[in-house]
Amino acid sequence: QKGIFFATGGKRCNKLSFIKSGYLRVSNSYNGKDITQWISSQGEFVTDLASLIFGNVSRWDIVALTDCELYSISKENYDRIGTLILEWHQLEKMFIAKCFLTLEDRIFSFLSMTAEERYNMFFELKPELFNHVPLHFIASMLGMAPETLSRIRKKALG
């Protein structure tokens, strides 16, 4: 349900979920500022990977921004799934590679693109987010002030 925490910073995240529908926000606070790290949506997986794989406490709060439908697997079943599905290790490698590529793309965009270019790239990637998620979360995720996002959107739309 909207507002329910999937994971809480400082506690272990012991599940991996595939999002059938809905939006979840991955966030943390830094120096008193609320930072959106990512907004997960339909067709994506959600977890705190370091917590799930290495048993660390979660660095992220993950909360449902809308009502969601998730398919979840516990840490215990995640660890056993390779014995049940022979192709699992290849699938897992692809999942982790996808996470790494998403991270690479985000780092590259922050190092090389203007705020407007980051907005345009993200809007092409996930246009539906802009109708379902508060814009200040999207602005935070894109590394800009809400006012900057508003100015860029106004220019793009008009």
Side-chain angles (χ1 to χ4, degrees):
Q1 291 179 323
K2 179 179 178 178
I4 299 294
F5 279 80
F6 176 88
T8 305
K11 296 181 180 177
R12 286 211 171 110
C13 180
N14 292 318
K15 60 189 169 190
L16 169 70
S17 294
F18 178 80
I19 304 169
K20 181 178 179 187
S21 65
Y23 300 92
L24 292 104
R25 177 176 177 247
V26 181
S27 66
N28 199 336
S29 293
Y30 181 75
N31 287 339
K33 187 175 178 183
D34 188 42
I35 306 292
T36 299
Q37 190 262 2
W38 188 250
I39 298 168
S40 296
S41 59
Q42 180 178 342
E44 296 179 344
F45 287 93
V46 65
T47 191
D48 182 305
L49 199 55
S51 187
L52 181 73
I53 301 296
F54 299 113
N56 301 341
V57 296
S58 182
R59 297 173 294 160
W60 309 106
D61 288 328
I62 304 174
V63 65
L65 294 175
T66 63
D67 287 347
C68 298
E69 189 172 349
L70 307 175
Y71 297 111
S72 299
I73 185 171
S74 68
K75 167 69 171 152
E76 295 78 26
N77 286 332
Y78 178 84
D79 289 340
R80 291 183 358 184
I81 198 167
T83 62
L84 303 171
I85 301 172
L86 297 178
E87 300 85 10
W88 177 251
H89 297 295
Q90 186 64 26
L91 293 170
E92 182 182 44
K93 185 166 50 171
M94 296 300 287
F95 164 69
I96 293 173
K98 173 81 168 129
C99 293
F100 187 78
L101 291 172
T102 299
L103 180 62
E104 279 184 330
D105 290 345
R106 296 228 25 233
I107 291 169
F108 180 78
S109 75
F110 277 96
L111 294 175
S112 65
M113 295 179 174
T114 64
E116 188 171 350
E117 290 169 330
R118 287 194 309 275
Y119 165 83
N120 290 332
M121 182 181 76
F122 191 70
F123 186 80
E124 284 182 31
L125 181 68
K126 291 187 165 199
E128 74 285 351
L129 242 61
F130 292 81
N131 294 322
H132 298 284
V133 172
L135 294 178
H136 66 280
F137 292 154
I138 295 172
S140 174
M141 188 179 72
L142 294 175
M144 62 184 77
E147 300 79 17
T148 303
L149 178 65
S150 179
R151 182 179 40 78
I152 290 170
R153 282 177 51 85
K154 185 177 179 181
K155 181 179 174 185
L157 296 173

